[in-house]
Amino acid sequence: MVGPAGRMTLVSGEVIQGDNAFADFRIARLYDAECPWSAQDDFYLPLNLAAGSVLDVGCGTGTRLVRAREVGHPGPLVGLDPAEGMLRVAGAKTDLVRWVLGEAQTMDLGRRFDLITMTGHAFQVLRDDAAVRAALDSFGRHLTAGGLLAFETRNPAARAWRTWVRETSRQVVAAPDGEPYETWVDQPTAHDADLVTFTSVVRSVRTGEELICHHTLRFIDPEHLRTLLEEAGFRIAGWFGNWDRSDVSPTSPEIIVLAHPA
């Protein structure tokens, strides 16, 4: 909703389910301020630049594809995301990347890529084995022979959700128009063995109105993930616990996967 002077307004107490949260432009336009360039991007950007063609699944606001084009990537760059709000932000950055509305499990882009990435923990929205298998099958159909799949998921042994409370997650960010918002995550609960449901809140500093989003992510067991990859015909080329390419341990925050189609 757009308010006076073009401001995006919140409806007090409005609730959005997590699968639809980033389709809402009011949330998507804050993403870059909440999640600036990080070690994750430093890890993936060289992979982007080394590949002749790149598909970023769950591309969000497209920051890394935009950077790859800015520093001279000459080949096809495609960003795919199921959230219209995210693609609206991405599309405003450049038209030198192809932006596509779609999902990992069902995408059909009519070509293959040398690199497919799924970053920003987007893999965790695949909440059961059927969704993972469908996505891996789709990735296989879109990779060239010798191509590379690269993604990460949070290590369940590190139990990151224990820190997802307002006291540790609260930040104040500015929208592109300078309007300040308070954001935080709260009320995480683990259930069904590997699913974690939590609430995120966006509050207007100016009006105090809030928009509430509910999300559910899967913290997949690493060895089960390895099995699913192998069953889908992938050969593991890298298995890291952090962005410095260190080994996976019970305390490492990530499971970072590099894999080739067999």
Side-chain angles (χ1 to χ4, degrees):
M1 181 183 299
V2 180
R7 289 194 177 101
M8 300 294 293
T9 61
L10 307 181
V11 177
S12 187
E14 182 179 356
V15 177
I16 298 178
Q17 294 303 315
D19 288 347
N20 300 316
F22 290 113
D24 193 312
F25 182 66
R26 294 170 298 177
I27 298 174
R29 73 192 191 117
L30 299 178
Y31 185 84
D32 287 344
E34 290 185 276
C35 303
W37 191 273
S38 67
Q40 172 188 154
D41 299 293
D42 288 332
F43 179 93
Y44 286 112
L45 182 60
L47 299 179
N48 292 166
L49 297 177
S53 55
V54 180
L55 169 62
D56 188 12
V57 177
C59 67
T61 61
T63 296
R64 196 168 52 255
L65 289 179
V66 172
R67 179 73 61 86
R69 185 66 82 205
E70 288 174 345
V71 300
H73 193 291
L77 299 176
V78 178
L80 179 139
D81 201 279
E84 293 181 3
M86 290 295 224
L87 292 179
R88 179 177 168 187
V89 175
K93 295 178 179 180
T94 185
D95 59 2
L96 299 178
V97 174
R98 180 186 172 197
W99 307 111
V100 179
L101 184 68
E103 296 186 343
Q105 303 96 304
T106 57
M107 64 183 183
D108 185 4
L109 300 178
R111 61 155 298 154
R112 293 177 181 266
F113 298 84
D114 299 315
L115 172 67
I116 295 178
T117 60
M118 191 174 192
T119 69
H121 302 109
F123 192 84
Q124 290 186 250
V125 305
L126 304 172
R127 295 197 288 259
D128 56 36
D129 284 0
V132 171
R133 288 189 176 103
L136 292 177
D137 179 68
S138 185
F139 296 155
R141 289 186 287 103
H142 285 82
L143 275 170
T144 59
L148 180 67
L149 170 65
F151 67 92
E152 86 288 329
T153 183
R154 293 179 182 89
N155 183 4
R159 299 180 179 271
W161 61 85
R162 293 181 301 181
T163 67
W164 294 356
V165 294
R166 179 172 179 174
E167 292 74 17
T168 57
S169 65
R170 178 187 174 277
Q171 58 180 320
V172 176
V173 298
D177 60 4
E179 185 80 1
Y181 291 86
E182 223 185 333
T183 69
W184 67 88
V185 294
D186 210 349
Q187 300 177 3
T189 54
H191 61 89
D192 290 342
D194 58 6
L195 297 179
V196 173
T197 296
F198 63 98
T199 299
S200 65
V201 181
V202 176
R203 172 185 287 171
S204 169
V205 171
R206 180 175 55 87
T207 68
E209 293 173 324
E210 295 181 354
L211 191 152
I212 300 165
C213 304
H214 299 310
H215 313 261
T216 299
L217 298 178
R218 187 183 190 190
F219 285 72
I220 189 170
D221 175 78
E223 290 311 310
H224 185 55
L225 173 60
R226 186 187 291 270
T227 296
L228 290 173
L229 283 160
E230 291 172 349
E231 289 177 350
F234 282 92
R235 173 174 53 84
I236 305 298
W239 191 266
F240 310 117
N242 213 333
W243 304 112
D244 59 3
R245 294 181 176 245
S246 55
D247 292 338
V248 174
S249 74
T251 59
S252 59
E254 308 289 347
I255 305 295
I256 303 163
V257 180
L258 305 181
H260 297 290

